Amino acid sequence: MSRSEELFARAQKLLPGGVNSPVRAYRAVGGKPVFVARAKGARVWDVDGREYVDYVGSWGPMIVGHAHDEVLAAVHEAAARGTSFGAPTELEVDFAETVNAAVPSLHMMRCVSSGTEATMSALRVARGFTGRAKVIKIDGGYHGHADCLLADAGSGVATFGIPGSAGVPAGAARDTLTVAWNDLEAMRALLVANPGEVACIIVEPIPGNMGVVPPAPGYLAGLGALCAEHGAILIIDEVMTGFRVAYGGAQALYGLVPDMTCLGKVVGGGLPAAVYGGRADIMAKIAPLGPVYQAGTLSGNPLAMAAGLKTLELLRRPGTYQQLEATSARLCDGLGAILREGGIEHTTNRVGSMWTTFFQPGAVTDYASAKRSDTARFGRFFRGMLEHGVLLAPSQYEAGFVGLAHGDAEITRTLEAARAVVKAGI
Ligand code: KE4
């Protein structure tokens, strides 16, 4: 029995599924999860000493590479001054100023400790500001596990095919409306059918939790116009895309000015930090200024602020996003050629350094089309790549992530692994 298997057996005695987050259990791809012992740059090592080229990257945060010397030094320096105070610190001011400079639509913001907290809080303040109860989300969109957002969610829930989730009372989900991605007319119809009742629309500007499914041209701008027309707040959930697809996120890439934005993952540099915010008149509703309550013991934690600040500093260095684009293009073009040569039906959606290869002929433009993928074949590909030292995201409905530490050696090794796996047959 491998050390990973030993640990997995022990873990399952105390942790549901042996994990602290469902997708890590490999239920969607089969086999048992590897337990990670350490990571550096683009590589992770499991507890049995096996090395992998890593494309999970902690599900997005590790864009500058694991255990980056400068990030570690910043965290160590902050930790030496204490790890948490429950009082305001200079780091939180520096962090807010840095994020505001990158994402100007965040006129005001609040730090929290997870993407779930960020989106849950953004919805509450949108409801408090508008006095309306209904929220609209995208079928296949995932915004964390707040009750009202677990309706036809993507990511883990989509992977398990659980429509919504047990434990979410009807009352909590009743005011959540869902609509297909990239269908502006369906969105318009939903707003018209619920006049004056929709507080907000929340979308991933580039969904990554049904797999990566880019917005159709004009779709995001259309959402903004519909929100303005119907008095609803447009919340852009950039937990995954923020600082990932551009330094200013998807809103910079697509020239969007949302009413509210949520950030997470990269912004914490691998430590627990997330952000929600937007228009000053909306955020003025947040306690202690206004009547919408939200709080958090570790909000703005100094270690997470330090890791996030250093990560964003590294991302500001010239050529960062050009490098991510070039490496990601080489990877995906190479994978595509290998799968084509092997006669494997697939289609790849990619925006910058986040991508998904769907095992189906495509095109994948929404959740319904994503679900036509051959998830069993994806599982065989995942397990084959794992055996050849490449760690992909363990679900067809997830994004893979390329980081600055992925270089020629990592891409070459990945493509050699893919050639071997396809040759062996999936
Ligand atoms: P967290 O609560 O997991 O920090 O963030 C929730 C969230 C919100 N919005 C978007 C767009 C997200 O992608 C996420 C979380 N993403 C998943 C993976 N796609 C996290 C991995 C996991 O659940 O283990």
Side-chain angles (χ1 to χ4, degrees):
M1 180 184 275
S2 73
R3 183 110 175 77
S4 267
E5 288 172 323
E6 279 173 23
L7 286 170
F8 192 42
R10 281 172 50 196
Q12 290 177 85
K13 294 190 178 95
L14 292 170
L15 303 170
V19 293
N20 280 310
S21 197
V23 70
R24 303 177 191 175
Y26 287 13
R27 293 287 178 98
V29 291
K32 295 175 182 173
V34 297
F35 277 59
V36 172
R38 65 185 179 90
K40 184 70 178 177
R43 299 179 185 231
V44 299
W45 286 263
D46 70 17
V47 292
D48 293 284
R50 278 191 292 267
E51 179 186 302
Y52 305 88
V53 177
D54 176 34
Y55 291 101
V56 178
S58 180
W59 299 97
M62 308 322 295
I63 193 168
V64 300
H66 288 289
H68 190 290
D69 292 342
E70 293 182 66
V71 175
L72 295 184
V75 173
H76 291 156
E77 190 186 326
R81 297 195 298 270
T83 56
S84 180
F85 314 114
T89 64
E90 182 176 358
L91 275 172
E92 290 161 87
V93 181
D94 292 346
F95 181 88
E97 289 172 348
T98 299
V99 171
N100 170 263
V103 185
S105 68
L106 282 167
H107 302 273
M108 296 289 286
M109 68 190 84
R110 172 64 62 83
C111 291
V112 292
S113 298
S114 72
T116 294
E117 259 194 288
T119 58
M120 173 178 71
S121 308
L123 249 60
R124 185 179 308 133
V125 72
R127 285 167 153 165
F129 179 78
T130 60
R132 300 177 179 181
K134 291 185 177 174
V135 302
I136 298 177
K137 70 175 288 290
I138 300 298
D139 186 18
Y142 178 69
H143 307 284
H145 58 87
D147 273 359
C148 67
L149 284 169
L150 280 182
D152 304 311
S155 187
V157 175
T159 299
F160 291 108
I162 302 168
S165 166
V168 174
R174 182 183 55 237
D175 288 324
T176 303
L177 309 171
T178 60
V179 65
W181 175 243
N182 276 332
D183 186 341
L184 217 44
E185 284 319 304
M187 181 67 82
R188 182 192 309 280
L190 208 46
L191 287 162
V192 168
N194 296 272
E197 297 182 75
V198 176
C200 63
I201 294 174
I202 183 167
V203 300
E204 299 170 68
I206 304 165
N209 290 287
M210 51 178 101
V212 175
V213 185
Y219 176 75
L220 294 174
L223 288 186
L226 283 174
C227 282
E229 185 183 340
H230 291 269
I233 288 172
L234 178 58
I235 302 175
I236 296 293
D237 177 354
E238 295 227 45
V239 166
M240 185 183 292
T241 56
F243 298 100
R244 164 62 58 183
V245 297
Y247 187 68
Q251 58 192 275
L253 201 62
Y254 297 120
L256 203 60
V257 182
D259 299 305
M260 295 189 75
T261 297
C262 299
L263 296 170
K265 296 180 190 280
V266 170
V267 81
L271 269 69
V275 171
Y276 73 97
R279 283 173 23 203
D281 59 333
I282 297 173
M283 292 301 284
K285 292 289 183 186
I286 292 284
L289 296 182
V292 179
Y293 194 72
Q294 180 270 316
T297 301
L298 296 176
S299 295
N301 173 267
L303 307 194
M305 297 290 98
L309 276 167
K310 181 56 71 175
T311 296
L312 300 194
E313 179 191 321
L314 292 166
L315 290 173
R316 286 198 297 276
R317 290 183 181 169
T320 291
Y321 291 91
Q322 291 85 339
Q323 177 187 333
L324 289 168
E325 173 59 29
T327 307
S328 306
R330 183 174 164 226
L331 171 71
C332 291
D333 293 350
L335 283 175
I338 292 165
L339 291 169
R340 273 192 303 280
E341 284 157 22
I344 309 281
E345 280 192 330
H346 73 285
T347 186
T348 293
N349 287 349
R350 175 177 73 83
V351 180
S353 57
M354 57 188 273
W355 98 94
T356 300
T357 296
F358 295 93
F359 281 79
Q360 58 150 296
V364 176
T365 58
D366 60 11
Y367 190 33
S369 49
K371 284 194 287 188
R372 288 197 284 269
S373 301
D374 183 341
T375 53
R377 174 168 260 182
F378 177 85
R380 294 193 293 273
F381 183 63
F382 171 87
R383 295 195 301 275
M385 292 295 274
L386 192 67
E387 284 160 20
H388 285 80
V390 176
L391 182 56
L392 299 174
S395 164
Q396 173 68 96
Y397 302 116
E398 292 289 357
F401 301 100
V402 174
L404 291 172
H406 288 86
D408 287 344
E410 286 73 24
I411 303 308
T412 300
R413 176 166 161 182
T414 303
L415 298 181
E416 285 166 355
R419 259 183 221 99
V421 170
V422 168
K423 187 173 177 209
I426 53 171

